[in-house]
Amino acid sequence: MTDRDWARRADQLAGQAYAEGRPTGWFDQLYAEGAAGVIDMPWNRTDPQPLLLDWFTGWAGRQPPGRACVVGCGLGADAEFLAARGWATTGFDLSPAAIGAAGARYPDSAVDYRVADLLDLPADLVGAFDLVVEIFTLQAMPDPPRRQAARGVVSLLAPGGTLLVVSFRATGAVTAPPPFPLTRDDLRALEVDGVVARHVEELPGERWRAELVRGPIRR
Ligand SMILES: C[S@@+](CC[C@H](N)C(=O)[O-])C[C@H]1O[C@@H](n2cnc3c(N)ncnc32)[C@H](O)[C@@H]1O
């Protein structure tokens, strides 16, 4: 490496991991190199993702705080945002280095930060959450295992729970993955086990924002 560009390093590590049949096997090394200062920290932000902030502002007005889960929480900005608004929040990520960095960044956090894999979820997370937030994690993996991971996301929802998905939207343009922008079919794959889409928005910047609910639906 001749510079600190984490995105270039991500491409390199992801390419190696895909070739070795480990499609999610590169995130931890990327974060570890970021934490060690070898590269800039990947996905490094402290503000909530703007499409979460905008959505939550309208949605939460109708909703008392409950239990929230941020999938692939990385460095914790979105989990901290929800916890600061009174939600009992769990943030989990495959990467121990990411969870370590989140814990170091927010030492007094109310968030329950966990190392966990969407593809092999701990039983206590399944069916446990009134709000599940998935931002840019499904699109970070090829299929397989993306469909299996999608079932993992859905399985986190308690009855009546809401799932927010924010991702890049596949437009047909050829890109060099990762990411793997989601198709409408990828979003439909989340509509299993009583989960239905409530709003699916095609937003500028080739983004999806989708709100899904697990029945019984509250309106
Ligand atoms: C593109 S990054 C997005 C991070 C964060 N959600 C954000 O918006 O900044 C994808 C995240 O998903 C995590 N991840 C990838 N595969 C995962 C899996 N199977 N289970 C849990 N986390 C995973 C990665 O470690 C990484 O933190």
Side-chain angles (χ1 to χ4, degrees), residues 60 69 79 91 103 110-111 190 194:
C69 181
V111 174
L190 296 162

Side-chain angles (χ1 to χ4, degrees), residues 6 23-24 26-28 31 42-45 49 70-78 92-95 98 116-121 133-141 145 149 179:
W6 69 263
T24 62
W26 55 279
F27 295 99
D28 190 51
Y31 279 115
W43 301 294
N44 190 3
R45 60 182 167 83
Q49 211 285 337
V70 179
V71 172
C73 66
L75 301 175
D78 298 327
F92 75 86
D93 201 286
L94 180 72
S95 164
D117 187 347
L118 260 181
L119 302 173
D120 185 18
L121 284 168
V133 171
E134 190 299 269
I135 299 179
F136 299 149
T137 296
L138 291 175
Q139 69 171 36
M141 59 190 89

Side-chain angles (χ1 to χ4, degrees), residues 55 59 63-69 87-88 125 127-133 156-164 212-214 218:
W55 173 84
W59 179 83
Q63 202 76 29
R67 297 158 301 167
C69 181
W87 286 73
L125 299 187
F129 298 101
D130 307 302
L131 172 62
V132 174
V133 171
L156 295 163
L157 285 167
T162 296
L163 166 63
L164 178 74
L212 301 97
V213 285
R214 166 168 271 161
R218 301 179 201 134

